[in-house]
Amino acid sequence: MASDVLQNYIDGAFVDSTATDTLDLINPVDETVVGRAPISNQDDVNAAVAAAESAFESWGKTTPSVRQTALLKLADAIEAHSDELVEAQCRNTGQPKAVIAAEEIAVSADQVRFFAGAARMLEGKSAGEYMDGFTSYVRREPIGVVGQVTPWNYPFMMAIWKIGPALAAGNTIVLKPSDTTPESTLVLAKITKDILPDGVFNVVLGNGGTGAALVGHPALGLVSITGSVRAGIAVAASAAQQLKRAHLELGGKAPAVVFADADIEKTASGIAEAAFFNGGQDCTAATRVVVHESIHDALVDALVAKAKTLKVGLPDDPDTFYGPLNNINHFTEVTKKVGAIPAHATIVTGGKRLGDRGFFFEPTIITGVEQHDPIVQEEIFGPVLTVQSFTDESEAIDYANDVRFGLASSVWTKDHGTVERLTRALDFGAVWVNCHIPLVAEMPHGGFKYSGYGKDLSAYGVEDYTRIKHVMSSHD
């Protein structure tokens, strides 16, 4: 294969794919080709899984302190290689460099340190006699080789969310990054070379077919994906054929429920930033404002004013709030969905492409929508925010919950009783109160319904990468 094609990382070394097919990597800022990646095949996947199987024989038996030490070294190395990681990711995503550095690289290092601590905090039932003459206890063990598929919206951080808990629990890994954003993951692989034993972490590049080959490999004990609902369903169906575990973090359609007593300016600022951060390419992004009718117009005006202050621009500009959408197919889909809004809806700001080169899209706010509208029901995954009004609390809850997704939500009010009722009633894996989108390593991230199952981050995330064994010993 040509020397300018990116390589897979298998068994502690960068190696050429055995496949001859490649795909171009396109910089979404200017649509130039910045590299080529292999479309790895089953032979490549088999080699990576075999390396992970071999490495598990020793890595799976390491003590938590050994895994903690490795993860702490990895966190330090991530910080030391921040500039290289930022440049690699920016070529593939066009994200503002300052945002990548602060919101992905620095945050990811902190998350790795959390997982290092979590490696030594796994718990189970205490030993005890539950039947006369016998003592029982629980062993929590690593699963084995896990296959992981990461998305293009936060390529580096999503890789950390996958490998952090898997390594902490003692598993070995084969990871396939998104076909459009592999480069920061390869830098991560290089960083791990002198920290993790060969074969513990492997990276195979490719497209959906490569991912299917990985997910379908019979040696995997668990498959994990962060991606679309369509991709998640395919992974779950494949895993079911071999009764593997599946860990799915899928789409979202997060409501921000705003009551009449909310601080309008503060609420508008928080929602707009949560809606348009990373160009709305975030499964937890605020996408639907459900606001009391008495403050609908005032909140819309404030949202529009805030949106106009958020700069869409180039990666090197420190004032850029978000950059382009990731790829031409996604850009085309967002444009199509916004252009297909019904006649009763109104685009009050945005709604179109910015410039004539690159995949830049304006911050867009749409009012007059109805609950059944596709723009309300479907994940857009772009800088698009809809606004609809409610008359009472019951209607607000109905509107918020009446989508197939259940990942994230927020409620905006000064009333404690409203908060308590809404946090219980909202059918989402996360409910923020008077804020939307902050995440911490100590708390679980994951949703309900079509948003998938399994948890990222937190001790719950580490537990998902373990299996439970009951040991019962006779006293005789």
Side-chain angles (χ1 to χ4, degrees):
M1 183 169 286
S3 60
D4 62 339
V5 177
L6 297 177
Q7 295 177 299
N8 294 325
Y9 183 76
I10 299 175
D11 204 17
F14 285 98
V15 296
D16 288 336
S17 168
T18 61
T20 57
D21 292 335
T22 64
L23 51 87
D24 289 339
L25 302 177
I26 307 298
N27 187 327
V29 172
D30 57 14
E31 304 180 53
T32 59
V33 177
V34 294
R36 287 193 295 156
I39 302 176
S40 298
N41 57 25
Q42 188 69 60
D43 289 341
D44 300 315
V45 169
N46 291 346
V49 173
E53 283 187 291
S54 179
F56 181 70
E57 293 178 10
S58 56
W59 180 255
K61 297 174 184 176
T62 54
T63 62
S65 64
V66 169
R67 300 196 295 273
Q68 180 191 50
T69 298
L71 287 168
L72 289 174
K73 288 180 179 178
L74 179 58
D76 291 343
I78 287 169
E79 290 179 334
H81 288 81
S82 177
D83 290 346
E84 183 180 4
L85 286 163
V86 168
E87 292 296 329
Q89 181 149 309
C90 185
R91 281 193 298 273
N92 295 167
T93 66
Q95 294 167 292
K97 291 180 180 178
V99 172
I100 299 174
E103 300 296 335
E104 286 204 54
I105 309 307
V107 169
S108 292
D110 176 73
Q111 291 166 344
V112 171
R113 291 190 178 103
F114 166 80
F115 288 123
R120 302 182 73 163
M121 293 294 290
L122 290 173
E123 299 177 348
K125 284 182 178 289
S126 63
E129 288 67 51
Y130 303 94
M131 180 182 290
D132 288 342
F134 296 86
T135 295
S136 289
Y137 63 93
V138 169
R139 291 181 55 89
R140 188 180 290 277
E141 301 177 338
I143 293 170
V145 179
V146 299
Q148 301 176 324
V149 180
T150 53
W152 46 253
N153 58 333
Y154 300 111
F156 185 78
M157 187 165 65
M158 294 299 97
I160 294 302
W161 283 21
K162 296 293 185 209
I163 74 170
L167 293 174
N171 301 282
T172 57
I173 298 162
V174 179
L175 186 146
K176 192 203 85 67
S178 169
D179 55 352
T180 64
T181 57
E183 292 194 67
S184 61
T185 304
L186 292 179
V187 176
L188 173 62
K190 183 181 73 172
I191 291 170
T192 67
K193 170 60 181 172
D194 296 326
I195 298 173
L196 298 174
D198 293 348
V200 169
F201 176 51
N202 307 274
V203 179
V204 177
L205 307 182
N207 59 11
T210 310
L214 173 60
V215 169
H217 198 289
L220 302 182
L222 178 146
V223 291
S224 174
I225 182 174
T226 297
S228 67
V229 171
R230 176 191 55 77
I233 290 173
V235 167
S238 175
Q241 297 302 309
Q242 297 164 348
L243 295 179
K244 297 173 192 163
R245 293 193 194 182
H247 185 281
L248 311 176
E249 200 278 281
L250 309 178
K253 194 68 177 174
V257 184
V258 183
F259 286 86
D261 64 339
D263 181 316
I264 291 177
E265 294 301 321
K266 179 180 177 181
T267 299
S269 180
I271 291 175
E273 291 181 0
F276 302 127
F277 183 76
N278 203 36
Q281 298 170 125
D282 189 312
C283 53
T284 63
T287 61
R288 299 181 292 134
V289 174
V290 180
V291 56
H292 191 268
E293 59 185 1
S294 65
I295 60 167
H296 173 277
D297 293 350
L299 184 64
V300 169
D301 290 344
L303 286 167
V304 170
K306 178 64 178 181
K308 291 181 181 297
T309 70
L310 303 177
K311 184 174 183 178
V312 184
L314 300 176
D316 288 307
D317 186 340
D319 295 325
T320 294
F321 185 72
Y322 72 85
L325 301 184
N326 180 256
N327 58 78
I328 183 60
N329 292 334
H330 182 54
F331 174 82
T332 300
E333 188 66 18
V334 171
T335 303
K336 178 181 175 182
K337 288 179 177 179
V338 171
I341 64 169
H344 56 256
T346 302
I347 297 175
V348 293
T349 190
K352 60 184 184 296
R353 180 178 194 165
L354 278 169
D356 57 6
R357 191 165 183 80
F359 309 132
F360 297 93
F361 202 90
E362 294 178 314
T364 300
I365 299 174
I366 305 173
T367 61
V369 296
E370 298 177 358
Q371 189 67 24
H372 62 272
D373 291 340
I375 200 74
V376 173
Q377 293 291 325
E378 298 175 4
E379 185 175 36
I380 310 302
F381 217 61
V384 180
L385 181 65
T386 63
V387 185
Q388 58 193 127
S389 62
F390 68 86
T391 58
D392 58 34
E393 185 175 303
S394 176
E395 187 175 49
I397 294 169
D398 288 344
Y399 283 166
N401 288 340
D402 184 25
V403 292
R404 64 176 182 166
F405 301 97
L407 185 59
S409 60
S410 60
V411 55
W412 302 76
T413 179
K414 298 175 183 176
D415 184 76
H416 175 75
T418 302
V419 168
E420 293 302 310
R421 293 190 300 274
L422 265 289
T423 52
R424 177 176 179 176
L426 290 173
D427 192 18
F428 298 85
V431 184
W432 287 290
V433 179
N434 294 326
C435 60
H436 191 116
I437 223 168
L439 293 168
V440 293
E442 293 83 357
M443 290 292 111
H445 172 81
F448 311 141
K449 300 187 292 188
Y450 274 70
S451 292
Y453 44 81
K455 296 297 181 183
D456 290 317
L457 302 176
S458 79
Y460 298 101
V462 180
E463 288 178 1
D464 280 355
Y465 284 90
T466 66
R467 64 183 191 180
I468 300 299
K469 178 184 289 182
H470 168 219
V471 179
M472 193 171 194
S473 177
S474 171
H475 296 176
D476 295 333

